[in-house]
mmCIF file of all heavy atoms in Angstrom:
data_model
loop_
_atom_site.group_PDB
_atom_site.id
_atom_site.type_symbol
_atom_site.label_atom_id
_atom_site.label_comp_id
_atom_site.label_asym_id
_atom_site.label_seq_id
_atom_site.Cartn_x
_atom_site.Cartn_y
_atom_site.Cartn_z
ATOM 1 N N ASN A 20 74.921 175.939 131.834
ATOM 2 C CA ASN A 20 74.699 176.310 130.422
ATOM 3 C C ASN A 20 74.510 175.073 129.596
ATOM 4 O O ASN A 20 74.947 175.007 128.488
ATOM 5 C CB ASN A 20 75.896 177.122 129.905
ATOM 6 C CG ASN A 20 76.062 178.439 130.576
ATOM 7 O OD1 ASN A 20 75.098 179.161 130.760
ATOM 8 N ND2 ASN A 20 77.257 178.794 130.937
ATOM 9 N N VAL A 107 84.343 173.101 122.228
ATOM 10 C CA VAL A 107 83.094 173.737 122.753
ATOM 11 C C VAL A 107 83.206 174.154 124.211
ATOM 12 O O VAL A 107 83.065 175.279 124.602
ATOM 13 C CB VAL A 107 81.863 172.735 122.575
ATOM 14 C CG1 VAL A 107 80.636 173.298 123.274
ATOM 15 C CG2 VAL A 107 81.664 172.454 121.130
ATOM 16 N N VAL A 108 83.634 173.222 125.059
ATOM 17 C CA VAL A 108 83.707 173.481 126.502
ATOM 18 C C VAL A 108 84.905 174.302 126.894
ATOM 19 O O VAL A 108 84.778 175.218 127.735
ATOM 20 C CB VAL A 108 83.687 172.113 127.306
ATOM 21 C CG1 VAL A 108 83.935 172.300 128.753
ATOM 22 C CG2 VAL A 108 82.440 171.318 127.027
ATOM 23 N N GLU A 109 86.023 174.043 126.342
ATOM 24 C CA GLU A 109 87.261 174.728 126.712
ATOM 25 C C GLU A 109 87.446 176.100 125.998
ATOM 26 O O GLU A 109 88.370 176.858 126.335
ATOM 27 C CB GLU A 109 88.497 173.852 126.476
ATOM 28 C CG GLU A 109 88.506 172.715 127.443
ATOM 29 C CD GLU A 109 89.704 171.780 127.252
ATOM 30 O OE1 GLU A 109 90.460 172.009 126.243
ATOM 31 O OE2 GLU A 109 89.934 170.958 128.058
ATOM 32 N N GLN A 110 86.619 176.439 125.081
ATOM 33 C CA GLN A 110 86.710 177.716 124.380
ATOM 34 C C GLN A 110 85.995 178.843 125.160
ATOM 35 O O GLN A 110 84.944 178.543 125.783
ATOM 36 C CB GLN A 110 86.112 177.626 122.987
ATOM 37 C CG GLN A 110 86.870 176.633 122.082
ATOM 38 C CD GLN A 110 88.365 177.053 121.902
ATOM 39 O OE1 GLN A 110 88.646 178.167 121.620
ATOM 40 N NE2 GLN A 110 89.286 176.095 122.153
ATOM 41 N N PRO A 111 86.463 180.028 125.058
ATOM 42 C CA PRO A 111 85.746 181.106 125.714
ATOM 43 C C PRO A 111 84.363 181.296 125.059
ATOM 44 O O PRO A 111 84.176 181.021 123.914
ATOM 45 C CB PRO A 111 86.658 182.352 125.529
ATOM 46 C CG PRO A 111 87.565 182.010 124.403
ATOM 47 C CD PRO A 111 87.650 180.524 124.383
ATOM 48 N N GLY A 112 83.454 181.788 125.834
ATOM 49 C CA GLY A 112 82.143 182.109 125.314
ATOM 50 C C GLY A 112 81.109 181.094 125.709
ATOM 51 O O GLY A 112 81.370 180.150 126.483
ATOM 52 N N ASP A 113 79.892 181.235 125.147
ATOM 53 C CA ASP A 113 78.732 180.377 125.481
ATOM 54 C C ASP A 113 78.922 179.013 124.805
ATOM 55 O O ASP A 113 79.221 178.944 123.613
ATOM 56 C CB ASP A 113 77.489 181.127 125.002
ATOM 57 C CG ASP A 113 76.252 180.274 125.335
ATOM 58 O OD1 ASP A 113 75.948 180.141 126.556
ATOM 59 O OD2 ASP A 113 75.621 179.776 124.402
ATOM 60 N N PRO A 114 78.721 177.915 125.561
ATOM 61 C CA PRO A 114 78.809 176.588 124.967
ATOM 62 C C PRO A 114 77.884 176.388 123.725
ATOM 63 O O PRO A 114 78.288 175.750 122.768
ATOM 64 C CB PRO A 114 78.472 175.663 126.076
ATOM 65 C CG PRO A 114 78.800 176.382 127.297
ATOM 66 C CD PRO A 114 78.476 177.806 126.979
ATOM 67 N N LEU A 115 76.696 176.937 123.786
ATOM 68 C CA LEU A 115 75.796 176.816 122.598
ATOM 69 C C LEU A 115 76.406 177.466 121.379
ATOM 70 O O LEU A 115 76.406 176.893 120.308
ATOM 71 C CB LEU A 115 74.411 177.355 122.928
ATOM 72 C CG LEU A 115 73.412 177.240 121.790
ATOM 73 C CD1 LEU A 115 73.234 175.799 121.310
ATOM 74 C CD2 LEU A 115 72.080 177.844 122.220
ATOM 75 N N ASP A 116 76.892 178.686 121.525
ATOM 76 C CA ASP A 116 77.481 179.385 120.407
ATOM 77 C C ASP A 116 78.707 178.595 119.891
ATOM 78 O O ASP A 116 78.906 178.508 118.655
ATOM 79 C CB ASP A 116 77.912 180.773 120.797
ATOM 80 C CG ASP A 116 76.732 181.716 121.086
ATOM 81 O OD1 ASP A 116 75.656 181.438 120.641
ATOM 82 O OD2 ASP A 116 76.948 182.703 121.839
ATOM 83 N N ASN A 117 79.514 178.094 120.763
ATOM 84 C CA ASN A 117 80.672 177.313 120.438
ATOM 85 C C ASN A 117 80.275 176.051 119.684
ATOM 86 O O ASN A 117 80.913 175.623 118.699
ATOM 87 C CB ASN A 117 81.523 176.939 121.646
ATOM 88 C CG ASN A 117 82.152 178.180 122.303
ATOM 89 O OD1 ASN A 117 82.182 179.248 121.713
ATOM 90 N ND2 ASN A 117 82.551 178.026 123.529
ATOM 91 N N MET A 118 79.199 175.341 120.097
ATOM 92 C CA MET A 118 78.740 174.173 119.451
ATOM 93 C C MET A 118 78.217 174.498 117.975
ATOM 94 O O MET A 118 78.568 173.795 117.092
ATOM 95 C CB MET A 118 77.632 173.488 120.238
ATOM 96 C CG MET A 118 77.000 172.218 119.646
ATOM 97 S SD MET A 118 78.280 170.864 119.571
ATOM 98 C CE MET A 118 78.296 170.401 121.246
#
Side-chain angles (χ1 to χ4, degrees):
N20 294 315
V107 174
V108 174
E109 292 181 349
Q110 295 301 310
D113 182 67
L115 178 59
D116 292 338
N117 295 342
M118 180 64 74

